[in-house]
Amino acid sequence: MRPIQWSGGKLRLLDQTALPQQEIYLEISDYREAVHAIKTLQVRGAPAIGIAAGYGIMLGAQSIKTSSMKAFNKELEQILNDFAASRPTAVNLFWTINRMRRALSTAESQEEAVNALEKEARLIHRQQSAAMAKLSRIGSSLIGRECTVLTHCNTGQLATGVEYGTALGVIKAAAEQGKKISVYADETRPLLQGARLTTWELQQLKIPVTLITDGMAGHFISRGKIACVIVGADRIAANGDTANKIGTYSVAVLARENGIPFYVAAPLSSIDVSIDSGARIPIEERGREEVLEFNGRRIAPLKVRVANPAFDITPHRYITAIVTEKGIVRPPYKRNLKSTFQEVR
Ligand code: MRU
């Protein structure tokens, strides 16, 4: 499976809104379609959003028709803003935008700028692929020889756009090492990333999976069915507070209450050291119809008041360890995440 492809000057995306019923690839040659794909979750998951945005920005730069560099830079800035406004929580999007901005800083012509942007977008894709493979291997050491783990949302290849996922990457790597692993997957209301995507990916990997509704997690954890919880992240603040799919916080509290480890797996591109705590992470609020409907069918009175935050914050004190491509980071996160970053620079 290659959910994000770049070939012949076009971006090919596996449309995640159509899965698991249909495997449809979108052929994108206009940057506005890439912005739309991010907004509507046709491409989703923090690292995948970052990679797709890189190619989308490149498509935008290519479409600018002007002979002056000043006008080019102005139009490109607007394109970058369009991407920045597509989804607010996953920091990978902003990480890509910053990298793309830096990549064209020395360009003296539009052609040079477009070439630099394409090179950077491809580099981001390659580097993220290596990062996910590495963190998956590193994280697999946390998984027992025979165990059942619980996960929330979708954190596999679909969410990263590369060969390994984050939390699901760790699970995949553990299975490849011959560990007997099985997974409880939360369905992940309202958009059902767990039910639609995680079960689909795990079936392809031939890893046993049991689908449960979000409200069932406590039941199974309290009955000793789960050895540990492992999830991904959309943005990790400098103190380790973690934004991830709505419902993650509840699972973290359940893990603590029942004395099992709660792990977060994420590349460094998901860590935002410029933000001191989770209180400053912007939480996306999505449309009311996502809650009012289930698979396109209305399930509540139309006039009911609805709230639909797409993410929540798990305070760092609930997190046993954060798995990155640079190693397993343990508390105190403020100090240890900082030194992980310093090693990289
Ligand atoms: O709204 P989504 O589907 O983009 O949310 C995705 C998640 O919350 C994932 O858990 C997160 O991006 C980490 S996946 C690598």
Side-chain angles (χ1 to χ4, degrees):
M1 187 209 321
R2 287 172 63 211
I4 303 181
Q5 298 165 33
W6 175 251
S7 76
K10 281 195 181 144
L11 174 60
R12 271 190 106 222
L13 295 177
L14 179 54
D15 181 353
Q16 299 192 34
T17 59
L19 289 170
Q21 285 87 355
Q22 288 172 292
E23 280 181 50
I24 300 171
Y25 277 88
L26 308 165
E27 298 266 347
I28 295 183
S29 50
D30 183 325
Y31 85 91
R32 283 165 294 216
E33 293 166 33
V35 172
H36 176 79
I38 294 172
K39 272 190 186 160
T40 58
L41 274 61
Q42 287 173 318
V43 59
R44 50 146 295 283
I49 291 171
I51 295 167
Y55 292 123
I57 291 165
M58 144 74 192
L59 288 173
Q62 209 173 28
S63 70
I64 298 172
K65 304 248 174 304
T66 169
S67 51
S68 107
M69 251 336 245
K70 196 168 164 219
F72 173 80
N73 284 330
K74 198 169 159 217
E75 277 193 49
L76 188 64
E77 206 45 49
Q78 184 51 51
I79 290 168
L80 294 175
N81 289 341
D82 290 349
F83 277 96
S86 60
R87 290 195 80 189
T89 305
V91 73
N92 308 61
L93 173 64
F94 304 93
W95 176 81
T96 289
I97 291 173
N98 290 339
R99 280 188 60 157
M100 297 300 268
R101 210 178 250 125
R102 274 202 304 273
L104 56 84
S105 59
T106 54
E108 287 176 6
S109 66
Q110 180 169 352
E111 197 189 341
E112 265 182 49
V114 170
N115 287 341
L117 288 174
E118 178 169 10
K119 210 167 139 202
E120 190 67 9
R122 285 176 182 273
L123 183 64
I124 287 172
H125 200 165
R126 274 203 309 279
Q127 287 176 340
Q128 290 294 275
S129 178
M132 251 50 81
K134 193 137 185 240
L135 78 83
S136 296
R137 207 170 48 247
I138 291 172
S140 65
S141 66
L142 296 169
I143 308 289
R145 290 223 60 79
E146 205 165 316
C147 80
T148 301
V149 306
L150 183 138
T151 193
H152 191 73
C153 196
N154 170 265
T155 60
Q157 280 189 265
L158 293 166
T160 59
V162 293
E163 201 190 338
Y164 284 85
T166 55
L168 233 50
V170 168
I171 291 167
K172 175 175 166 174
E176 283 169 351
Q177 290 158 15
K179 294 185 176 175
K180 277 200 163 57
I181 188 161
S182 63
V183 179
Y184 274 67
D186 285 348
E187 67 170 345
T188 318
R189 272 283 281 156
L191 295 181
L192 306 173
Q193 288 92 332
R196 295 187 302 107
L197 310 175
T198 299
T199 56
W200 185 74
E201 284 199 48
L202 287 170
Q203 281 189 335
Q204 294 200 350
L205 293 170
K206 303 205 180 339
I207 296 174
V209 55
T210 304
L211 173 65
I212 59 172
T213 67
D214 298 337
M216 295 175 189
H219 172 79
F220 288 109
I221 293 175
S222 71
R223 295 201 161 196
K225 297 274 185 210
I226 314 289
C228 68
V229 175
I230 180 157
V231 298
D234 287 84
R235 192 185 297 225
I236 301 174
N239 70 347
D241 290 353
T242 294
N244 192 49
K245 180 53 57 195
I246 192 76
T248 302
Y249 170 42
S250 318
V251 183
V253 175
L254 286 169
R256 169 61 52 86
E257 164 72 13
N258 290 280
I260 61 168
F262 179 89
Y263 300 120
V264 172
L268 295 185
S269 56
S270 300
I271 301 178
D272 184 355
V273 280
S274 75
I275 279 186
D276 55 355
S277 83
R280 292 185 51 216
I281 299 179
I283 301 292
E284 176 181 13
E285 184 73 28
R286 294 187 62 85
R288 62 198 309 275
E289 69 291 346
E290 289 181 358
V291 178
L292 277 177
E293 292 172 3
F294 187 87
N295 255 351
R297 186 154 171 253
R298 190 151 65 77
I299 52 162
L302 205 52
K303 285 191 177 157
V304 72
R305 200 179 305 150
V306 170
N308 188 14
F311 302 94
D312 60 24
I313 307 289
T314 299
H316 61 87
R317 65 179 181 281
Y318 289 107
I319 300 171
T320 313
I322 298 175
V323 180
T324 75
E325 68 270 36
K326 292 291 162 198
I328 296 173
V329 185
R330 294 192 183 262
Y333 292 116
K334 209 169 166 176
R335 188 189 73 198
N336 295 343
L337 281 174
K338 196 169 168 193
S339 52
T340 305
F341 258 82
Q342 273 160 356
E343 271 171 38
V344 181
R345 302 267 139 87

